[in-house]
Amino acid sequence: MRLALPRWAGPLAVKAAVFITVMCCALAALLGILVHVSVTNQTVGQARDLALSRLEDATAAFEAGDPLRPGVGLDPHGLPESLRDLALAGDRGTVVAEHRGHPTMWAAGPADDERVLAVRVDYSQQARTIEGLDRAILWSSGLAIGVTVLVGAFAVTRVTRRLHATARVARRISGGDLDARVDDPRTKDPSRPQDEVAAVAAALDSMASSLQGKLLAEQRFTADVAHELRTPLTGLHAAAELLPSGRPTELVRDRVAALRTLTEDLLEISRLDTGRERLELDSEPLGALAERVVRASGTDTEVVVTRDVIVETDRRRLERVLGNLVANAHKHGRRPVSLTVDGPVVTVRDHGDGYPAYLVAHGPQRFRTEGGSRGHGLGLTIALGQAEVLGARLTFANAADGGAVARLVLHRQAPA
């Protein structure tokens, strides 16, 4: 069972933005709390010192018998009970509480055994100061978080954009464009700092150059071998024609013909590898072309035309593709073999053991054999290459009831 990814597991830029936002919020909250606590302690301390100073003056006036000033009283109404109990116990203290809808700093101490002397100081200004500070902290934190997220997202987006460009180049290389390069400017200027993305880009460019060199060397080798073989094979073929009739002569001529076919296939593959093939387009009835291919193959292949269409294609290349598919079906499969035309889709099927698993998964590979058995040679490789030149899509599969199925889809359909 495949585990579902959480919703936050999105692209790298989203993850980085979420991480930056969380860290900024945590840092802003920590700094805001520290500033709030520090300023609040300072403000409350100043108000407490003022209230205690007035309480000392009021106590001295009370003991001297002088009249009490405004804001000073004995057991005043609204005095918090906790502060009253503290003063009756013989101690002095302060507390901030609401009095008639306004923040008030109370300071109280014992007057005698049964009464409490209390001082009331207006705390509204200090409370408004703390509230204004809290609002300033919230606004500044929000602004700082927004700016940090934007700057961080911009920085991360630059990195992810370079990563996406590197990924696009890698996909182009895997698609056969060996000239594709990242060309990160940081890799060309040694004075600039080399980050990890530049290292990946440089490694990808180096790998592409090495791969291109090896493939070009392989293509040149294939073409050179095929060209070098043509001259001696031509002479060998001419010499074989001069041999007297007989079974040995037939065997020699058969092997020489096989070598000539292999040489021509190698030359065709080398031309396909260069990617310089050009189409000669013409309108062709697909059903009639398929029947002509089957007649030319000389095989017992059933042609079924479900729906005929006229396609705009290169007749020679399409005949080469269908001829190779039919020949491969008879050579490596079992009868009956059928070729079905259904609109722009051509299907060639046999009733043998089917294609090998690697061929279905990755396509034909030159001269590959599986488990010591005979491989599929170059026929399917040439068919796939010619189909790509035609702009068609050739796929390989195995039927559920047995047999190999090759499906060619042509995209250039001419008007009827």
Side-chain angles (χ1 to χ4, degrees), residues 39-164:
V39 174
T40 300
N41 289 339
Q42 182 179 1
T43 304
V44 172
Q46 293 175 352
R48 180 182 293 112
D49 293 340
L50 177 61
L52 290 176
S53 176
R54 290 186 181 182
L55 179 61
E56 289 180 359
D57 295 340
T59 302
F62 175 74
E63 291 176 350
D66 295 337
L68 300 177
R69 295 181 178 182
V72 181
L74 292 171
D75 293 330
H77 176 72
L79 180 66
E81 290 298 327
S82 59
L83 186 57
R84 184 188 301 274
D85 295 340
L86 180 66
L88 290 175
D91 296 326
R92 289 182 178 184
T94 59
V95 70
V96 177
E98 290 285 333
H99 179 68
R100 296 179 181 178
H102 298 284
T104 302
M105 172 67 76
W106 291 93
D112 51 33
D113 294 339
E114 297 180 355
R115 293 185 298 177
V116 172
L117 182 64
V119 175
R120 185 177 70 250
V121 178
D122 186 20
Y123 192 71
S124 300
Q125 181 63 36
Q126 291 86 341
R128 286 193 294 271
T129 300
I130 294 176
E131 290 178 359
L133 175 66
D134 292 341
R135 287 194 296 270
I137 291 175
L138 290 176
W139 280 105
S140 60
S141 298
L143 180 61
I145 291 172
V147 172
T148 305
V149 169
L150 289 177
V151 174
F154 174 74
V156 173
T157 302
R158 291 187 62 187
V159 175
T160 55
R161 188 183 299 116
R162 293 168 59 197
L163 288 175
H164 283 305

Side-chain angles (χ1 to χ4, degrees), residues 170-192:
R171 285 192 291 268
R172 288 173 57 189
I173 293 173
S174 64
D177 185 7
L178 299 181
D179 293 324
R181 297 292 185 272
V182 180
D183 287 333
D184 194 314
R186 290 170 178 79
T187 61
K188 299 180 179 180
D189 188 0
S191 63
R192 301 183 66 177

